[in-house]
Amino acid sequence: MNLLTGRLAQLMTAVVLFFSVELSVSAKCIAVVTAGGGQSFWGEVIRGAVKAGQELNINIYARGVIDEVNREGQGEIIQSIINKGCRALVLAPNSTDRIKDVARLKELGIATVYIDRDMGGERLSVIKTENYAAGRLAGREMAKALQGQGQIAVLRLSKEVLSTTLRENGFIEGAVQGGLEIVVDQYIGTMVGDARAAAYQILRLQKQIDGIFTPNESTSIGVSIALKRINRAENIIHIGFDAHRIMVNSVKDAQMYGFVMQNPFRMGYEGVTTAYRAMRGLSVEEYLDTGVIFVGQKNINSNEIMQLLGESE
């Protein structure tokens, strides 16, 4: 999600603080362990978590991996929460390896709430976007923009990431049902630099692409940069996912058609609130859909979108 410069500086300060804070074993603590693929997105998750922690008067210990597929790194972070004395975990699992971790945490009396994606196991609640439906929404918007005719590239993140795979497959269904043809279906990597380089090579060779879908923040930024580099940003319909300053500005400048925006602040906030209830032995909702909205030039300056982007006064 987009953050203004001053707000981003404040958020990064908060993240550094919570990454380095040392909590005693007896401290009241909820851990928030994020995945990779989008610093702005996870920054907003943490901001929501911190807000809930402040309201509940409980410490938040937030950490995450930069690379979406760093399963070992996320496992090490989960081990660290035991040492911190946290009694609940809000987790964006990046591997099915987490199922064993969650079972072990349960034996230790530590409740786990999933956010952003569901890997199964003994989690108490799942708080996320309905990713397949969100991808299908993007596909329908692409078909509408191209009036039911066009050749499309689906530039995927990684086959190891469930949430983006669902978005990609949902997009394909929506686009094909709308009359579009998928002519490129490739993985371009989990980091912005990798996505930019891969997209550049694909687009140099594919001259007849009418539209591109990218399933998360890092792929959307990487492809947006690549399109500008080859001077094709204004004549290819690019629909991305998540929200970042680069993407927001690209839509405003008519160099990106639009993006599907999640509500990561709410994920973090509801995740901590749910984990807190679980810590206290209270009932929790098994599933919560935090919703999405399509953002394009027609609504990007609306009060609703400005508020979600954190740009309202």
Side-chain angles (χ1 to χ4, degrees):
M1 185 172 286
N2 179 45
L3 298 172
L4 297 177
T5 303
R7 187 187 211 172
L8 181 58
Q10 293 176 353
L11 177 59
M12 289 301 101
T13 299
V15 173
V16 170
L17 172 63
F18 281 102
F19 276 22
S20 61
V21 68
E22 293 296 328
L23 300 175
S24 67
V25 173
S26 61
K28 291 194 301 179
C29 170
I30 292 176
V32 179
V33 178
T34 63
Q39 293 182 347
S40 291
F41 179 86
W42 296 117
E44 279 295 285
V45 167
I46 293 172
R47 192 170 71 86
V50 169
K51 176 66 173 175
Q54 291 171 341
E55 293 178 1
L56 296 169
N57 192 31
I58 192 164
N59 292 315
I60 303 299
Y61 174 73
R63 294 193 67 184
V65 292
I66 296 175
D67 192 338
E68 178 69 59
V69 295
N70 184 358
R71 68 185 76 174
E72 292 82 8
Q74 191 177 69
E76 292 172 1
I77 292 172
I78 291 172
Q79 175 59 40
S80 75
I81 78 163
I82 299 172
N83 301 331
K84 296 295 180 186
C86 295
R87 306 312 304 164
L89 169 64
V90 178
L91 172 66
N94 67 358
S95 167
T96 53
D97 293 348
R98 302 291 82 86
I99 294 174
K100 293 180 180 179
D101 294 330
V102 170
R104 183 164 57 92
L105 292 175
K106 182 180 179 181
E107 292 177 354
L108 296 172
I110 300 173
T112 300
V113 173
Y114 282 166
I115 57 171
D116 189 59
R117 73 284 300 264
D118 184 10
M119 289 291 183
E122 299 187 72
R123 71 283 189 267
L124 293 178
S125 180
V126 180
I127 299 169
K128 68 179 186 68
T129 294
E130 185 54 58
N131 286 295
Y132 193 91
R136 195 167 53 226
L137 168 64
R140 290 197 299 264
E141 291 291 340
M142 181 73 78
K144 187 189 305 181
L146 291 171
Q147 299 181 332
Q149 292 183 331
Q151 297 186 323
I152 308 302
V154 178
L155 301 184
R156 297 177 181 254
L157 181 75
S158 168
K159 61 184 177 182
E160 297 182 45
V161 182
L162 176 62
S163 57
T164 52
T165 298
L166 289 169
R167 295 168 198 167
E168 294 150 3
N169 294 343
F171 171 84
I172 290 172
E173 179 183 300
V176 171
Q177 287 180 347
L180 306 181
E181 180 185 5
I182 309 300
V183 296
V184 176
D185 188 346
Q186 291 185 223
Y187 292 99
I188 59 173
T190 58
M191 306 295 284
V192 171
D194 294 336
R196 180 186 66 239
Y200 177 73
Q201 294 301 323
I202 291 168
L203 295 169
R204 281 198 316 121
L205 298 174
Q206 296 286 341
K207 303 295 186 182
Q208 303 302 316
I209 296 296
D210 300 300
I212 298 172
F213 174 66
T214 47
N216 80 322
E217 180 182 307
S218 61
T219 53
S220 296
I221 293 172
V223 169
S224 180
I225 294 170
L227 283 169
K228 291 173 184 177
R229 181 180 176 188
I230 60 175
N231 296 316
R232 296 177 69 187
E234 295 181 359
N235 56 28
I236 289 181
I237 301 296
H238 177 199
I239 292 179
F241 211 100
D242 295 330
H244 184 279
R245 175 178 49 80
I246 290 174
M247 297 162 64
V248 171
N249 290 341
S250 293
V251 171
K252 290 182 176 180
D253 294 339
Q255 294 190 314
M256 183 177 190
Y257 185 77
F259 51 84
V260 177
M261 183 169 64
Q262 303 183 81
N263 195 335
F265 180 93
R266 187 181 177 198
M267 281 187 200
Y269 184 91
E270 298 287 357
V272 166
T273 302
T274 301
Y276 182 77
R277 289 182 59 83
M279 282 174 57
R280 301 187 65 191
L282 302 175
S283 63
V284 300
E285 291 188 53
E286 292 184 9
Y287 175 77
L288 176 63
D289 178 5
T290 50
V292 297
I293 187 169
F294 183 77
V295 180
Q297 282 196 317
K298 291 182 179 180
N299 66 347
I300 197 165
N301 292 314
S302 68
N303 290 335
E304 178 186 12
I305 300 303
M306 294 290 282
Q307 185 174 12
L308 286 171
L309 290 171
E311 295 184 348
S312 59
E313 294 183 359

